[in-house]
Amino acid sequence: MKIGQPLRFPTIPEEYESLIGLVARATADHVLLDLNRVLRRAGISMDRPGYLTRLDSATLERLAPIIGCSVEEVLSRTMWTMLPHAKARRVGLRANHLSVWDIETEHRRISPLAILAGSRHRESWLLRILPYCSVSFELLRSDCSECSAPLRWKKSVGIDVCETCEQVVGPTDAALLDEEMRSDYALFARLICGRVEVRKKAFSELSPAVQDLDVETLIRMVIGIGACFHLKDRFVNRKSIHRLPPAQQAAIISTGTGILREWPGALQLRSQEEAARLIAGGSDYRKLRARLQKLGHRWFVSQEQADLIRDALPDIFCNVQRSFKPLSDTLLRREAGKLLGLAVRHVDLVDAGLLAAEELGGGANRRFRFDRSVVEALRRRIDGSTSMALFARQTYLPTYAIENLCDHGILERESDPALFHLRHGSSITRTSIESLRATIFELERGTAPSDAVPLGTATRRIGGRLKPWADIVVALRDRSLTCWIAPNATLETPWLRSILIAPSQFAQFDSIAMTEPPGQSPRSLTDCSLSDAKEILNLRGTPSVDLQDVFAKEIAVCEQRGPRKAVPMAKVLEKAEQEIGIGEICARANWNARQAKWALALFANDRTACGWNRAAIEKSGVLETQINWSVRAHRRDPRTLGS
């Protein structure tokens, strides 16, 4: 093939200058106007000079001496086909891999601002995947600012001069690339740069986990990840991204590159934030999950990319409710219920705003996702406390007594509103219970006197009002009340049975009223359980009295919270002021049940549902009468008690 004469003076290539830009500059410098006049000297004849960069290396070697460059300088700026036939669709930018549609060969794309700053036609301006200049961040233009004619490569009187009107092309009116995107956008331009040393330095700025990726996989990951967060209803690939508006295309590239800088934490954080924003929508949430799943699907992407995505977001390939959360930090509805020991009541806590959870929409059933740390913290609070009702059953203390102990600081309330909701009332911390229990059971376990009675029996002498339990427990704790622990008592034995009291010393509480400091629980002032009512009326151990029948009308109108029947406290106290039970009578008069039966035979007309009329019994003075029970006449005729 005949080779023409070289140009009069050599054209020195500049860094990052494209091959077609180099030839165009040589044409303009020698005032040859037509690029083919230069190319024909090398035996190259092209209708579209823009395809110059896709020629094979053997052809381009002939061009080097024509324009006065070395062969290495020309070949370092070329793109060569991987396959010999004309239908080859894959091209290589030296060590990189690009698609044919990634290269702009028809139009001359330039950045007037960069040219004004002294730049030549850059290699990156040939790549359609980069709509903005990576130096000036100006939108690349391929038309004349004066006559709007397209800029092509057939003629050259200057890179920034229009072939049609021969006027200098001015900057575009479009806004510059957003400052927040510039760093990542420029990094992506260096990552796909043809120069090995530039590309190697750019890869070092990425996370170590992705530094060994090949460029083709990197480009696919950048586009795929960026599109997931910027496009809702579209899926873009290497080819279709060129059809997007330039601003959106640049946003996708910047987002994807920025995520690869901090891989995988940036992807996890961004996906969780986006999922939190879309979680209420249901369908949008699932679309985001499906798009991210496709990035890790081995049928659509390379094995290397699939492994990276699956390692970064293993949760999106599991149950939909676990998506966008670390698997170790997520609990589903059933798992949370099992951990809390609740069947469905934790859903009530969510509805009440007392337990944080994410509700996933889009299904017929309500689906929740709980943070494991939140659920475990609630579980610890449940284990570290007990309800007042349960503690009352374990100790035989009435609920109002336990609340009175809390009001005086003897026991500590658990202030968690979630536990209050679950237990229909206040809870007590187990640490305060164990502390008080240990103090109480340090009492003397020696032999109790013969007249010692259990604490529950001794407290029956206080009637017609609430008992001062706080003062009683303080006296036990401070050892100001002589008492003993039953020899066979254990930590599980109810307190009212295991603690023995000398009745003569318990009389000091007859004139002490229960104090109610500010801040007492409102519920304790409004209603009480039937068990507490029995304690107030001193009817424990009296099976002949059924309080559910006695307070049937009151139970019907009282708000019931839980399975235990509730009675208005005011009605119970009114009943206690009017009536006196057999337990109080025996405790105050120091009688046994058989003695009381004979002694109270005279008061048959004063019988009531819960015992006897209090006023009649106390007015008669029978409780203070000293009776010699050795006299047999008393056993036959109670009328002789006063004689």
Side-chain angles (χ1 to χ4, degrees):
M1 180 177 293
K2 184 178 179 180
I3 306 298
Q5 293 294 325
L7 298 178
R8 176 170 294 184
F9 49 86
T11 304
I12 306 301
E14 296 188 5
E15 191 177 14
Y16 301 113
E17 187 175 9
S18 65
L19 178 59
I20 185 63
L22 180 62
V23 175
R25 181 160 65 91
T27 303
D29 290 346
H30 289 81
V31 198
L32 297 176
L33 186 62
D34 196 338
L35 265 70
N36 271 326
R37 296 182 65 178
V38 177
L39 297 178
R40 289 193 190 101
R41 296 190 183 198
I44 303 172
S45 179
M46 303 183 69
D47 293 334
R48 297 178 178 179
Y51 282 84
L52 178 66
T53 54
R54 293 171 55 185
L55 295 180
D56 58 273
S57 57
T59 302
L60 292 176
E61 285 179 358
R62 301 194 301 267
L63 180 62
I66 300 300
I67 60 177
C69 299
S70 65
V71 175
E72 291 77 11
E73 289 175 332
V74 171
L75 295 183
S76 66
R77 289 168 169 78
T78 186
M79 301 174 184
W80 45 272
T81 54
M82 295 178 64
L83 300 177
H85 53 79
K87 292 184 179 181
R89 300 185 61 83
R90 304 297 298 173
V91 299
L93 182 58
R94 293 175 292 284
N96 301 333
H97 293 86
L98 297 171
S99 299
V100 170
W101 51 75
D102 288 331
I103 305 169
E104 179 57 63
T105 56
E106 292 289 338
H107 299 90
R108 175 166 34 114
R109 299 200 309 166
I110 63 173
S111 170
L113 291 178
I115 294 175
L116 288 174
S119 178
R120 304 297 184 181
H121 189 276
R122 301 177 66 86
E123 290 178 323
S124 60
W125 294 355
L126 292 172
L127 303 180
R128 297 172 62 196
I129 199 172
L130 297 174
Y132 289 82
C133 175
S134 59
V135 176
S136 65
F137 302 106
E138 177 191 16
L139 179 64
L140 298 175
R141 68 181 311 161
S142 57
D143 61 336
C144 179
S145 60
E146 303 298 328
C147 65
S148 301
L151 303 178
R152 301 188 185 276
W153 290 109
K154 287 189 176 183
K155 299 179 181 180
S156 176
V157 290
I159 294 298
D160 58 342
V161 178
C162 176
E163 299 174 348
T164 304
C165 66
E166 297 186 356
Q167 298 293 322
V168 176
V169 179
T172 179
D173 296 332
L176 298 179
L177 185 65
D178 190 351
E179 291 187 5
E180 296 180 355
M181 302 181 184
R182 293 180 182 179
S183 176
D184 295 329
Y185 184 86
L187 175 60
F188 180 76
R190 297 195 302 274
L191 289 170
I192 61 175
C193 176
R195 302 180 180 276
V196 178
E197 63 278 6
V198 175
R199 189 173 60 253
K200 184 176 181 180
K201 184 177 180 181
F203 266 84
S204 66
E205 297 182 31
L206 299 179
S207 172
V210 297
Q211 288 182 3
D212 296 332
L213 286 176
D214 60 87
V215 181
E216 181 180 357
T217 301
L218 181 137
I219 294 174
R220 291 183 179 275
M221 285 188 66
V222 167
I223 295 175
I225 292 172
C228 282
F229 301 112
H230 290 281
L231 300 178
K232 292 184 178 180
D233 302 321
R234 292 186 59 182
F235 181 80
V236 296
N237 52 26
R238 289 283 305 277
K239 187 174 182 179
S240 60
I241 190 175
H242 304 140
R243 305 190 188 104
L244 297 176
Q248 195 171 34
Q249 188 176 344
I252 290 174
I253 291 172
S254 300
T255 300
T257 307
I259 288 176
L260 291 184
R261 281 182 185 265
E262 304 293 338
W263 185 274
L267 178 62
Q268 296 167 350
L269 179 62
R270 182 66 183 268
S271 61
Q272 290 172 12
E273 291 175 350
E274 190 72 10
R277 186 177 64 85
L278 300 175
I279 194 168
S283 61
D284 291 338
Y285 174 85
R286 283 172 167 76
K287 287 179 181 178
L288 173 64
R289 178 173 178 266
R291 292 196 298 270
L292 289 171
Q293 278 182 328
K294 194 169 185 178
L295 294 179
H297 204 301
R298 295 185 174 91
W299 289 1
F300 301 103
V301 299
S302 65
Q303 181 68 33
E304 192 174 14
Q305 177 178 335
D307 292 342
L308 284 171
I309 296 294
R310 288 175 177 270
D311 290 342
L313 298 174
D315 44 277
I316 67 172
F317 297 94
C318 300
N319 189 298
V320 64
Q321 299 174 63
R322 298 188 185 276
S323 299
F324 306 111
K325 287 286 187 180
L327 296 179
S328 59
D329 297 343
T330 304
L331 290 175
L332 303 186
R333 174 177 171 176
R334 184 173 296 178
E335 295 170 338
K338 184 177 181 180
L339 180 59
L340 294 174
L342 307 171
V344 295
R345 293 187 64 196
H346 57 300
V347 178
D348 297 336
L349 294 179
V350 175
D351 294 337
L354 301 175
L355 180 61
E358 294 176 313
E359 184 169 4
L360 306 180
N365 298 325
R366 301 183 68 188
R367 299 178 179 180
F368 295 94
R369 179 172 62 198
F370 299 86
D371 190 320
R372 179 183 291 272
S373 61
V374 174
V375 176
E376 290 178 346
L378 179 57
R379 177 72 259 181
R380 288 192 294 270
R381 292 194 295 272
I382 292 176
D383 294 339
S385 63
T386 185
S387 67
M388 287 190 177
L390 178 61
F391 185 60
R393 290 194 295 271
Q394 293 173 345
T395 60
Y396 283 10
L397 287 171
T399 304
Y400 79 88
I402 300 173
E403 291 182 346
N404 191 229
L405 296 178
C406 292
D407 294 335
H408 286 79
I410 302 172
L411 294 176
E412 181 184 358
R413 279 193 178 92
E414 172 58 65
S415 58
D416 193 309
L419 297 185
F420 188 92
H421 182 87
L422 285 175
R423 291 169 173 166
H424 303 288
S426 299
S427 302
I428 319 167
T429 60
R430 291 188 181 275
T431 54
S432 64
I433 293 175
E434 296 303 325
S435 175
L436 180 61
R437 189 194 301 270
T439 303
I440 294 295
F441 276 78
E442 288 177 358
L443 297 175
E444 180 63 39
R445 283 182 175 266
T447 303
S450 58
D451 62 339
V453 295
L455 178 61
T457 302
T459 57
R460 292 177 185 174
R461 66 179 294 113
I462 303 174
R465 57 189 174 91
L466 299 179
K467 299 175 178 61
W469 280 107
D471 299 276
I472 296 173
V473 172
V474 168
L476 291 173
R477 185 187 63 185
D478 298 341
R479 306 296 191 269
S480 60
L481 179 63
T482 304
C483 50
W484 299 264
I485 299 297
N488 58 347
T490 64
L491 291 177
E492 287 73 27
T493 306
W495 293 10
L496 298 191
R497 292 182 177 178
S498 59
I499 300 176
L500 304 179
I501 301 292
S504 58
Q505 294 195 9
F506 202 79
Q508 60 179 302
F509 298 102
D510 290 348
S511 59
I512 299 177
M514 189 188 81
T515 55
E516 299 177 0
Q520 190 173 4
S521 173
R523 180 171 170 78
S524 66
L525 301 177
T526 57
D527 51 47
C528 67
S529 65
L530 290 181
S531 176
D532 287 2
K534 278 192 172 184
E535 192 275 341
I536 295 171
L537 296 171
N538 293 311
L539 293 177
R540 285 183 172 177
T542 310
S544 60
V545 180
D546 188 354
L547 291 187
Q548 192 162 346
D549 292 338
V550 173
F551 294 106
K553 294 181 179 179
E554 289 77 4
I555 293 175
V557 298
C558 185
E559 180 183 0
Q560 303 298 318
R561 310 177 193 179
R564 306 182 72 185
K565 300 298 182 182
V567 187
M569 178 66 79
K571 294 294 183 180
V572 176
L573 292 177
E574 180 182 353
K575 180 74 70 173
E577 292 174 357
Q578 297 174 353
E579 303 179 19
I580 184 171
I582 185 65
E584 182 181 349
I585 293 175
C586 292
R588 290 175 61 179
N590 197 21
W591 295 344
N592 58 38
R594 183 179 181 84
Q595 293 169 341
K597 176 182 177 182
W598 287 96
L600 297 175
L602 294 175
F603 301 93
N605 294 333
D606 297 315
R607 285 301 302 266
T608 61
C610 297
W612 287 263
N613 183 282
R614 179 178 293 275
I617 295 297
E618 292 182 345
K619 185 178 180 179
S620 68
V622 67
L623 300 179
E624 289 77 21
T625 301
Q626 297 296 324
I627 302 175
N628 184 5
W629 291 102
S630 61
V631 180
R632 299 179 63 89
H634 299 322
R635 302 179 185 178
R636 297 191 302 268
D637 189 358
R639 290 174 294 179
T640 62
L641 286 173
S643 59

